[in-house]
Amino acid sequence: TRAIDNCLASEHGRWILGPHEESHCEYAITAVLDGQAKNMVLDRTFIENGTCWIIDYKTSSHGGGDLEGFLNNEAGRYREQLQRYKNAVAMTETRPIRTALYFPLLDEFREV
């Protein structure tokens, strides 16, 4: 409940959930990557100003210091996953593709 409330109260959250061209939530796709079929579910994807966005929600919370270090660590941890999503979408998408993580419990947005 807190994650949803934070998302709706947040400028980032409202932007992510707002109306966009070709928007999808929990968008299931299958692509052949590295010679194998991969099933993936993109949390949120949409087109804005000619750019395709792929947003992955992370419900991680962080109670200690060094929030920036935590966010950098999470970006590194999920970079490969977001790259797979980007590679799969790029097979049918000609527009630029950007990927990001959104942490609704922290109201933090990190482009990866």
Side-chain angles (χ1 to χ4, degrees), residues 12-59:
H12 283 122
R14 287 190 308 272
W15 172 71
I16 292 167
L17 292 175
H20 298 283
E21 291 178 57
E22 301 178 39
S23 62
H24 303 279
C25 294
E26 296 297 311
Y27 188 51
I29 62 173
T30 301
V32 177
L33 300 172
D34 300 322
Q36 294 185 331
K38 303 281 185 183
N39 296 316
M40 296 164 266
V41 178
L42 312 182
D43 290 345
R44 178 77 169 143
T45 183
F46 55 84
I47 305 298
E48 183 183 72
N49 298 325
T51 297
C52 176
W53 280 93
I54 301 168
I55 311 288
D56 198 46
Y57 299 112
K58 296 299 175 199
T59 55

Side-chain angles (χ1 to χ4, degrees), residues 8 23 45 56 76 79 82-83 86 102:
L8 295 175
S23 62
T45 183
D56 198 46
R79 181 168 275 108
L82 289 169
Q83 187 62 51
K86 184 176 182 177
Y102 178 60

Side-chain angles (χ1 to χ4, degrees), residues 54-70:
I54 301 168
I55 311 288
D56 198 46
Y57 299 112
K58 296 299 175 199
T59 55
S60 310
S61 61
H62 179 70
D66 193 18
L67 177 60
E68 191 65 25
F70 170 76

